[in-house]
Amino acid sequence: MKNTIIAFLTAIAAAFLPTGASAQKYVLDDNFQDSVQVYEVELTKNGAEVLGNPVFKLPMGQTVFIERTLKDNSARGIIKIDGKEYAIGSGCLLFSDDNPEGVEDTFGNTRERTNHSWSGKFYATPVPYVIVVIAFLVAIIFTFLGLKVSALRGLAIKIVPACLLVAAAIEIHAFMVLGSDAFWWCDKDRYGFFGSLFRAIPFVGFVAFQFYSVKLYERLLLGDETDEELSIKPMAISLAICIPVFLVLVFGLTALGLRGTLRDVITIVGFLATLTFGIVMSLKKNVALLGKAGGTAFTVFGIVYIIGSLIAAYGLILIILKLIIQILIICAAIVGVGFAMSNGSGGGGDHQMYFVDKDGGRHTNGVDCDAANKRIAERKAGSM
């Protein structure tokens, strides 16, 4: 109820307060979050402003009125509610179209940020990944139909690479837009351990098919009657190692004291040489087998296919590593609980405490020991 009232008051303030050169309206907007945290503003002893305790959240779609930025932290905006200032992060702020002409965006061009872009929102929905799944399923079906039914071989030769290209293009563009967040649909933090695991299992199958599909497509193109093979391994190696080679050159040459233009030229030449060497080798062999047009087309297809496969493999490894870490945490917790229980329930032996009376008798508690000592004293007194 409190959050609803605060959100309502914020909306009223944003709608009716006048705007000026130092105050702007922003809409709360993001791909994945449904709300944004608001913090108290605290002053340190030297007068600096810092974030205080989190106090409430505002829903996405809410309009807020930014008065200024936090001192010494331009990434945080200040809003006022009931005369009190609160801090809010700028990551979810989108400059509103309702601002008067000439009012500048305090946080730069927020409209160009990924989480406000059309492509960012598109890849944050299941639609592109459903398209990828459908494309893979169609490619799988036509691959095996083309291998089994000769009348469908020609159609399969056209449909299979088209489907694989669509899937790879979506994978590449999603990764370019969202980075690792492109695999949000299998995120353990979002769907929990088992939810992520159940999504990862079919993902393993699709990645395996994506890597193996080029060999099946090769059989479609060349048939079973030839021992010739199309070339894809050299360009796969080049595409896989060109970025690591670039990074090694940059850091290695810098460590050796080489900087400036000469270092940049060497690293760029090394990157391009690594990238093009394998591609040229594959292109020459493919042209020899399929002709100039067919060999070039297959090589271009191979480049897109390999990049998409590498991105899919990266995502799968990322997901599996997160799941393995979670499994290790669970196993460590189980072992810890078991160890604690074994220590707690292990009576007798060297861990049991005894009380020894004056005759050397052992008792499990002090009361029995005192009673035995009393009887021993009485017995000795009676024998005297």
Side-chain angles (χ1 to χ4, degrees):
M1 182 67 180
K2 178 183 176 182
N3 288 355
T4 303
I5 294 173
I6 290 172
F8 175 74
L9 292 174
T10 306
I12 296 297
F16 293 104
L17 285 176
T19 59
S22 61
Q24 304 86 25
K25 289 182 181 180
Y26 288 84
V27 178
L28 301 182
D29 180 72
D30 191 67
N31 293 333
F32 301 110
Q33 301 181 68
D34 57 6
S35 60
V36 59
Q37 184 67 60
V38 177
Y39 300 85
E40 292 180 332
V41 179
E42 295 181 355
L43 289 176
T44 62
K45 292 181 180 179
N46 59 3
E49 287 183 335
V50 295
L51 292 182
N53 296 322
V55 284
F56 55 85
K57 291 185 177 182
L58 293 176
M60 292 299 163
Q62 180 74 54
T63 299
V64 294
F65 189 77
I66 300 296
E67 298 279 342
R68 58 182 178 85
T69 60
L70 194 69
K71 293 178 182 177
D72 303 320
N73 189 348
S74 58
R76 299 281 181 176
I78 298 296
I79 61 174
K80 271 188 179 180
I81 298 177
D82 291 338
K84 185 175 180 179
E85 291 188 335
Y86 297 93
I88 187 171
S90 63
C92 295
L93 295 178
L94 174 62
F95 194 64
S96 174
D97 292 331
D98 294 336
N99 285 292
E101 186 176 352
V103 175
E104 295 183 358
D105 188 342
T106 297
F107 305 103
N109 196 345
T110 56
R111 294 178 183 177
E112 293 182 356
R113 294 177 181 175
T114 299
N115 60 333
H116 305 315
S117 67
W118 179 88
S119 58
K121 295 186 181 303
F122 176 66
Y123 288 115
T125 69
V127 174
Y129 309 101
V130 171
I131 295 173
V132 170
V133 170
I134 293 172
F136 272 127
L137 291 176
V138 172
I140 292 170
I141 292 169
F142 273 90
T143 295
F144 289 103
L145 284 176
L147 291 172
K148 298 295 183 182
V149 183
S150 57
L152 294 175
R153 181 171 171 267
L155 183 61
I157 287 174
K158 296 180 178 64
I159 290 180
V160 171
C163 290
L164 293 178
L165 280 174
V166 168
I170 291 175
E171 290 170 340
I172 294 168
H173 194 230
F175 190 75
M176 290 174 61
V177 172
L178 296 182
S180 298
D181 288 337
F183 305 101
W184 61 266
W185 43 269
C186 209
D187 185 13
K188 177 182 65 65
D189 296 331
R190 182 182 296 269
Y191 297 106
F193 175 78
F194 289 105
S196 180
L197 178 63
F198 292 147
R199 287 168 170 80
I201 292 173
F203 188 30
V204 171
F206 281 118
V207 172
F209 172 77
Q210 188 164 359
F211 274 95
Y212 189 65
S213 60
V214 71
K215 301 301 294 183
L216 296 174
Y217 184 61
E218 183 181 65
R219 288 177 58 193
L220 277 175
L221 280 174
L222 302 178
D224 295 325
E225 63 278 358
T226 179
D227 293 330
E228 295 287 350
E229 291 184 349
L230 293 169
S231 178
I232 197 167
K233 186 179 293 185
M235 59 179 170
I237 294 173
S238 286
L239 289 167
I241 69 171
C242 62
I243 293 178
V245 166
F246 174 80
L247 294 176
V248 169
L249 286 174
V250 169
F251 292 112
L253 293 174
T254 303
L256 293 174
L258 187 61
R259 303 172 186 274
T261 304
L262 181 59
R263 181 200 61 183
D264 296 340
V265 170
I266 293 174
T267 53
I268 292 172
V269 169
F271 170 78
L272 293 176
T274 307
L275 176 63
T276 58
F277 181 74
I279 294 176
V280 170
M281 286 182 61
S282 294
L283 178 62
K284 289 175 65 176
K285 185 173 181 180
N286 294 332
V287 168
L289 284 174
L290 301 176
K292 188 174 182 179
T296 303
F298 180 81
T299 303
V300 172
F301 158 75
I303 292 171
V304 178
Y305 155 83
I306 291 168
I307 295 174
S309 298
L310 291 174
I311 290 173
Y314 167 78
L316 181 60
I317 292 171
L318 196 68
I319 292 164
I320 290 175
L321 284 177
K322 288 183 179 181
L323 292 176
I324 289 174
I325 292 172
Q326 184 67 27
I327 291 171
L328 291 176
I329 293 173
I330 294 172
C331 290
I334 292 172
V335 171
V337 171
F339 182 75
M341 291 178 64
S342 65
N343 281 346
S345 61
D350 295 334
H351 300 285
Q352 181 66 51
M353 180 179 289
Y354 291 101
F355 295 83
V356 182
D357 60 33
K358 294 179 179 180
D359 280 349
R362 296 197 300 177
H363 306 272
T364 58
N365 59 77
V367 175
D368 291 343
C369 184
D370 291 340
N373 284 331
K374 186 177 181 180
R375 289 194 298 272
I376 292 169
E378 291 174 350
R379 186 177 71 246
K380 289 182 177 181
S383 63
M384 292 178 63

Short mmCIF file of all heavy atoms in Angstrom, two decimals, residues 207-248:
data_model
loop_
_atom_site.label_atom_id
_atom_site.label_comp_id
_atom_site.label_asym_id
_atom_site.label_seq_id
_atom_site.Cartn_x
_atom_site.Cartn_y
_atom_site.Cartn_z
N VAL A 207 22.70 -27.32 -29.47
CA VAL A 207 24.09 -26.93 -29.72
C VAL A 207 24.84 -28.09 -30.38
O VAL A 207 25.63 -27.88 -31.32
CB VAL A 207 24.79 -26.51 -28.41
CG1 VAL A 207 26.28 -26.30 -28.64
CG2 VAL A 207 24.16 -25.23 -27.87
N ALA A 208 24.59 -29.32 -29.91
CA ALA A 208 25.23 -30.49 -30.52
C ALA A 208 24.84 -30.62 -31.99
O ALA A 208 25.70 -30.88 -32.86
CB ALA A 208 24.84 -31.76 -29.75
N PHE A 209 23.55 -30.43 -32.28
CA PHE A 209 23.11 -30.49 -33.68
C PHE A 209 23.73 -29.37 -34.50
O PHE A 209 24.14 -29.58 -35.65
CB PHE A 209 21.59 -30.42 -33.78
CG PHE A 209 21.10 -30.28 -35.20
CD1 PHE A 209 21.07 -31.38 -36.04
CD2 PHE A 209 20.70 -29.05 -35.69
CE1 PHE A 209 20.65 -31.26 -37.36
CE2 PHE A 209 20.26 -28.91 -36.99
CZ PHE A 209 20.24 -30.02 -37.84
N GLN A 210 23.83 -28.18 -33.90
CA GLN A 210 24.39 -27.05 -34.63
C GLN A 210 25.83 -27.34 -35.05
O GLN A 210 26.24 -27.00 -36.17
CB GLN A 210 24.32 -25.78 -33.76
CG GLN A 210 24.70 -24.52 -34.51
CD GLN A 210 24.28 -23.26 -33.79
OE1 GLN A 210 23.66 -23.31 -32.74
NE2 GLN A 210 24.58 -22.11 -34.35
N PHE A 211 26.60 -27.97 -34.18
CA PHE A 211 27.98 -28.29 -34.53
C PHE A 211 28.06 -29.44 -35.55
O PHE A 211 28.94 -29.44 -36.42
CB PHE A 211 28.77 -28.67 -33.27
CG PHE A 211 29.35 -27.48 -32.56
CD1 PHE A 211 28.67 -26.89 -31.50
CD2 PHE A 211 30.56 -26.94 -32.96
CE1 PHE A 211 29.20 -25.79 -30.85
CE2 PHE A 211 31.10 -25.84 -32.31
CZ PHE A 211 30.42 -25.25 -31.25
N TYR A 212 27.16 -30.40 -35.45
CA TYR A 212 27.23 -31.57 -36.31
C TYR A 212 26.50 -31.36 -37.64
O TYR A 212 26.73 -32.08 -38.60
CB TYR A 212 26.65 -32.79 -35.60
CG TYR A 212 26.87 -34.09 -36.32
CD1 TYR A 212 28.15 -34.60 -36.52
CD2 TYR A 212 25.78 -34.81 -36.83
CE1 TYR A 212 28.35 -35.79 -37.19
CE2 TYR A 212 25.98 -36.01 -37.51
CZ TYR A 212 27.26 -36.49 -37.69
OH TYR A 212 27.47 -37.66 -38.36
N SER A 213 25.61 -30.36 -37.69
CA SER A 213 24.76 -30.19 -38.86
C SER A 213 25.55 -29.92 -40.13
O SER A 213 25.13 -30.30 -41.22
CB SER A 213 23.77 -29.03 -38.63
OG SER A 213 24.48 -27.82 -38.39
N VAL A 214 26.70 -29.27 -40.01
CA VAL A 214 27.48 -28.97 -41.20
C VAL A 214 27.99 -30.24 -41.87
O VAL A 214 28.12 -30.30 -43.10
CB VAL A 214 28.65 -28.01 -40.86
CG1 VAL A 214 29.74 -28.71 -40.05
CG2 VAL A 214 29.23 -27.39 -42.13
N LYS A 215 28.29 -31.29 -41.09
CA LYS A 215 28.71 -32.55 -41.67
C LYS A 215 27.55 -33.23 -42.40
O LYS A 215 27.73 -33.83 -43.48
CB LYS A 215 29.27 -33.48 -40.59
CG LYS A 215 30.46 -32.93 -39.83
CD LYS A 215 31.63 -32.61 -40.76
CE LYS A 215 32.22 -33.84 -41.40
NZ LYS A 215 33.40 -33.54 -42.23
N LEU A 216 26.36 -33.13 -41.81
CA LEU A 216 25.19 -33.70 -42.48
C LEU A 216 24.88 -32.93 -43.77
O LEU A 216 24.52 -33.54 -44.79
CB LEU A 216 23.98 -33.65 -41.53
CG LEU A 216 24.09 -34.50 -40.25
CD1 LEU A 216 22.89 -34.25 -39.35
CD2 LEU A 216 24.19 -35.98 -40.61
N TYR A 217 25.02 -31.61 -43.69
CA TYR A 217 24.77 -30.81 -44.88
C TYR A 217 25.80 -31.10 -45.97
O TYR A 217 25.50 -31.08 -47.17
CB TYR A 217 24.77 -29.33 -44.53
CG TYR A 217 24.41 -28.44 -45.69
CD1 TYR A 217 23.16 -28.55 -46.30
CD2 TYR A 217 25.31 -27.51 -46.19
CE1 TYR A 217 22.82 -27.74 -47.38
CE2 TYR A 217 24.98 -26.69 -47.26
CZ TYR A 217 23.73 -26.83 -47.85
OH TYR A 217 23.40 -26.04 -48.93
N GLU A 218 27.01 -31.40 -45.54
CA GLU A 218 28.05 -31.78 -46.50
C GLU A 218 27.66 -33.05 -47.26
O GLU A 218 27.87 -33.15 -48.47
CB GLU A 218 29.35 -32.00 -45.74
CG GLU A 218 30.54 -32.33 -46.62
CD GLU A 218 31.78 -32.57 -45.78
OE1 GLU A 218 31.79 -33.55 -45.00
OE2 GLU A 218 32.74 -31.79 -45.90
N ARG A 219 27.06 -33.99 -46.58
CA ARG A 219 26.58 -35.21 -47.24
C ARG A 219 25.46 -34.91 -48.22
O ARG A 219 25.34 -35.53 -49.28
CB ARG A 219 26.11 -36.23 -46.20
CG ARG A 219 27.24 -36.87 -45.40
CD ARG A 219 26.70 -37.80 -44.36
NE ARG A 219 25.88 -38.86 -44.96
CZ ARG A 219 25.09 -39.68 -44.27
NH1 ARG A 219 24.99 -39.55 -42.95
NH2 ARG A 219 24.38 -40.60 -44.89
N LEU A 220 24.61 -33.93 -47.86
CA LEU A 220 23.55 -33.52 -48.77
C LEU A 220 24.13 -32.94 -50.06
O LEU A 220 23.66 -33.22 -51.17
CB LEU A 220 22.65 -32.49 -48.11
CG LEU A 220 21.54 -32.98 -47.18
CD1 LEU A 220 20.84 -31.80 -46.53
CD2 LEU A 220 20.54 -33.83 -47.94
N LEU A 221 25.14 -32.11 -49.91
CA LEU A 221 25.73 -31.44 -51.07
C LEU A 221 26.53 -32.39 -51.96
O LEU A 221 26.39 -32.38 -53.18
CB LEU A 221 26.64 -30.31 -50.60
CG LEU A 221 25.97 -28.99 -50.19
CD1 LEU A 221 27.02 -28.04 -49.63
CD2 LEU A 221 25.26 -28.34 -51.37
N LEU A 222 27.35 -33.23 -51.33
CA LEU A 222 28.29 -34.05 -52.10
C LEU A 222 27.80 -35.46 -52.35
O LEU A 222 28.30 -36.13 -53.26
CB LEU A 222 29.65 -34.10 -51.37
CG LEU A 222 30.32 -32.75 -51.11
CD1 LEU A 222 31.63 -32.94 -50.36
CD2 LEU A 222 30.56 -32.01 -52.42
N GLY A 223 26.83 -35.92 -51.53
CA GLY A 223 26.37 -37.30 -51.69
C GLY A 223 27.30 -38.28 -50.99
O GLY A 223 28.38 -37.93 -50.51
N ASP A 224 26.88 -39.52 -50.92
CA ASP A 224 27.66 -40.56 -50.24
C ASP A 224 28.69 -41.23 -51.15
O ASP A 224 29.51 -42.02 -50.69
CB ASP A 224 26.72 -41.65 -49.68
CG ASP A 224 25.81 -41.09 -48.60
OD1 ASP A 224 26.28 -40.22 -47.85
OD2 ASP A 224 24.64 -41.53 -48.52
N GLU A 225 28.63 -40.91 -52.44
CA GLU A 225 29.49 -41.62 -53.38
C GLU A 225 30.90 -41.03 -53.50
O GLU A 225 31.74 -41.54 -54.23
CB GLU A 225 28.86 -41.63 -54.78
CG GLU A 225 28.68 -40.26 -55.43
CD GLU A 225 27.42 -39.53 -54.96
OE1 GLU A 225 26.68 -40.14 -54.14
OE2 GLU A 225 27.18 -38.40 -55.41
N THR A 226 31.18 -39.95 -52.80
CA THR A 226 32.51 -39.32 -52.88
C THR A 226 33.17 -39.30 -51.51
O THR A 226 32.50 -39.24 -50.48
CB THR A 226 32.38 -37.87 -53.41
OG1 THR A 226 33.68 -37.30 -53.44
CG2 THR A 226 31.49 -37.04 -52.52
N ASP A 227 34.49 -39.34 -51.53
CA ASP A 227 35.26 -39.24 -50.29
C ASP A 227 35.72 -37.82 -50.03
O ASP A 227 36.37 -37.55 -49.01
CB ASP A 227 36.50 -40.16 -50.37
CG ASP A 227 36.11 -41.63 -50.41
OD1 ASP A 227 35.06 -41.97 -49.83
OD2 ASP A 227 36.86 -42.43 -51.00
N GLU A 228 35.41 -36.91 -50.93
CA GLU A 228 35.81 -35.52 -50.77
C GLU A 228 35.05 -34.87 -49.60
O GLU A 228 33.93 -35.25 -49.29
CB GLU A 228 35.53 -34.73 -52.06
CG GLU A 228 36.35 -35.18 -53.25
CD GLU A 228 37.80 -34.74 -53.14
OE1 GLU A 228 38.11 -33.94 -52.23
OE2 GLU A 228 38.61 -35.20 -53.95
N GLU A 229 35.70 -33.89 -48.97
CA GLU A 229 35.08 -33.17 -47.87
C GLU A 229 35.20 -31.68 -48.10
O GLU A 229 36.23 -31.20 -48.61
CB GLU A 229 35.76 -33.54 -46.54
CG GLU A 229 35.52 -34.95 -46.07
CD GLU A 229 36.14 -35.21 -44.71
OE1 GLU A 229 36.92 -34.34 -44.25
OE2 GLU A 229 35.85 -36.25 -44.11
N LEU A 230 34.15 -30.97 -47.75
CA LEU A 230 34.21 -29.52 -47.79
C LEU A 230 35.08 -29.02 -46.63
O LEU A 230 35.22 -29.69 -45.61
CB LEU A 230 32.80 -28.93 -47.69
CG LEU A 230 31.89 -29.21 -48.89
CD1 LEU A 230 30.46 -28.82 -48.58
CD2 LEU A 230 32.38 -28.46 -50.12
N SER A 231 35.63 -27.85 -46.79
CA SER A 231 36.57 -27.32 -45.79
C SER A 231 35.87 -26.32 -44.89
O SER A 231 35.38 -25.29 -45.36
CB SER A 231 37.75 -26.67 -46.49
OG SER A 231 38.63 -26.12 -45.54
N ILE A 232 35.85 -26.63 -43.61
CA ILE A 232 35.29 -25.70 -42.63
C ILE A 232 36.19 -25.57 -41.40
O ILE A 232 36.18 -24.56 -40.71
CB ILE A 232 33.87 -26.12 -42.23
CG1 ILE A 232 33.15 -24.95 -41.55
CG2 ILE A 232 33.89 -27.36 -41.32
CD1 ILE A 232 31.67 -25.14 -41.39
N LYS A 233 37.01 -26.59 -41.17
CA LYS A 233 37.86 -26.59 -39.97
C LYS A 233 38.86 -25.45 -39.95
O LYS A 233 39.02 -24.78 -38.92
CB LYS A 233 38.58 -27.93 -39.82
CG LYS A 233 39.36 -28.06 -38.51
CD LYS A 233 40.03 -29.41 -38.41
CE LYS A 233 39.02 -30.53 -38.29
NZ LYS A 233 39.67 -31.84 -38.07
N PRO A 234 39.58 -25.15 -41.06
CA PRO A 234 40.56 -24.04 -41.02
C PRO A 234 39.93 -22.70 -40.65
O PRO A 234 40.48 -21.95 -39.83
CB PRO A 234 41.12 -24.02 -42.44
CG PRO A 234 40.96 -25.41 -42.93
CD PRO A 234 39.66 -25.88 -42.35
N MET A 235 38.77 -22.39 -41.26
CA MET A 235 38.16 -21.10 -40.92
C MET A 235 37.56 -21.13 -39.52
O MET A 235 37.50 -20.10 -38.84
CB MET A 235 37.13 -20.68 -41.96
CG MET A 235 35.97 -21.58 -42.18
SD MET A 235 34.87 -20.85 -43.45
CE MET A 235 33.76 -22.21 -43.76
N ALA A 236 37.15 -22.30 -39.04
CA ALA A 236 36.65 -22.41 -37.66
C ALA A 236 37.78 -22.10 -36.68
O ALA A 236 37.57 -21.38 -35.68
CB ALA A 236 36.09 -23.80 -37.41
N ILE A 237 38.96 -22.63 -36.96
CA ILE A 237 40.11 -22.36 -36.09
C ILE A 237 40.47 -20.88 -36.11
O ILE A 237 40.73 -20.26 -35.07
CB ILE A 237 41.30 -23.23 -36.52
CG1 ILE A 237 41.00 -24.71 -36.28
CG2 ILE A 237 42.57 -22.82 -35.76
CD1 ILE A 237 42.05 -25.65 -36.82
N SER A 238 40.47 -20.30 -37.31
CA SER A 238 40.79 -18.87 -37.44
C SER A 238 39.81 -18.01 -36.67
O SER A 238 40.21 -17.08 -35.94
CB SER A 238 40.79 -18.46 -38.91
OG SER A 238 41.94 -18.95 -39.57
N LEU A 239 38.52 -18.28 -36.82
CA LEU A 239 37.50 -17.49 -36.13
C LEU A 239 37.58 -17.67 -34.62
O LEU A 239 37.28 -16.75 -33.86
CB LEU A 239 36.11 -17.89 -36.63
CG LEU A 239 35.78 -17.43 -38.06
CD1 LEU A 239 34.53 -18.16 -38.57
CD2 LEU A 239 35.57 -15.92 -38.11
N ALA A 240 37.97 -18.87 -34.17
CA ALA A 240 38.02 -19.15 -32.74
C ALA A 240 39.22 -18.49 -32.06
O ALA A 240 39.14 -18.10 -30.89
CB ALA A 240 38.05 -20.65 -32.50
N ILE A 241 40.35 -18.37 -32.79
CA ILE A 241 41.57 -17.89 -32.13
C ILE A 241 41.95 -16.46 -32.48
O ILE A 241 42.87 -15.91 -31.87
CB ILE A 241 42.77 -18.82 -32.46
CG1 ILE A 241 43.16 -18.69 -33.94
CG2 ILE A 241 42.47 -20.26 -32.09
CD1 ILE A 241 44.46 -19.40 -34.28
N CYS A 242 41.25 -15.81 -33.43
CA CYS A 242 41.68 -14.48 -33.85
C CYS A 242 41.58 -13.46 -32.71
O CYS A 242 42.48 -12.62 -32.55
CB CYS A 242 40.87 -14.01 -35.07
SG CYS A 242 39.10 -13.85 -34.80
N ILE A 243 40.53 -13.54 -31.90
CA ILE A 243 40.39 -12.60 -30.78
C ILE A 243 41.40 -12.90 -29.68
O ILE A 243 42.05 -11.97 -29.16
CB ILE A 243 38.94 -12.60 -30.25
CG1 ILE A 243 38.00 -12.02 -31.32
CG2 ILE A 243 38.84 -11.78 -28.96
CD1 ILE A 243 36.55 -12.01 -30.92
N PRO A 244 41.58 -14.18 -29.25
CA PRO A 244 42.66 -14.45 -28.28
C PRO A 244 44.03 -14.00 -28.77
O PRO A 244 44.82 -13.47 -27.98
CB PRO A 244 42.59 -15.98 -28.12
CG PRO A 244 41.18 -16.32 -28.39
CD PRO A 244 40.76 -15.38 -29.47
N VAL A 245 44.34 -14.21 -30.07
CA VAL A 245 45.61 -13.75 -30.62
C VAL A 245 45.73 -12.23 -30.51
O VAL A 245 46.78 -11.69 -30.13
CB VAL A 245 45.77 -14.20 -32.09
CG1 VAL A 245 46.91 -13.47 -32.77
CG2 VAL A 245 46.00 -15.70 -32.16
N PHE A 246 44.65 -11.52 -30.82
CA PHE A 246 44.64 -10.06 -30.73
C PHE A 246 44.95 -9.61 -29.29
O PHE A 246 45.77 -8.72 -29.06
CB PHE A 246 43.28 -9.54 -31.19
CG PHE A 246 43.10 -8.06 -31.01
CD1 PHE A 246 43.63 -7.16 -31.92
CD2 PHE A 246 42.40 -7.56 -29.92
CE1 PHE A 246 43.48 -5.80 -31.76
CE2 PHE A 246 42.24 -6.20 -29.75
CZ PHE A 246 42.77 -5.31 -30.67
N LEU A 247 44.28 -10.24 -28.31
CA LEU A 247 44.48 -9.86 -26.90
C LEU A 247 45.90 -10.17 -26.43
O LEU A 247 46.51 -9.38 -25.71
CB LEU A 247 43.46 -10.59 -26.02
CG LEU A 247 41.99 -10.21 -26.24
CD1 LEU A 247 41.08 -11.08 -25.39
CD2 LEU A 247 41.76 -8.74 -25.92
N VAL A 248 46.41 -11.34 -26.84
CA VAL A 248 47.79 -11.70 -26.47
C VAL A 248 48.77 -10.68 -27.02
O VAL A 248 49.73 -10.26 -26.34
CB VAL A 248 48.12 -13.13 -26.97
CG1 VAL A 248 49.62 -13.39 -26.83
CG2 VAL A 248 47.34 -14.16 -26.18
#
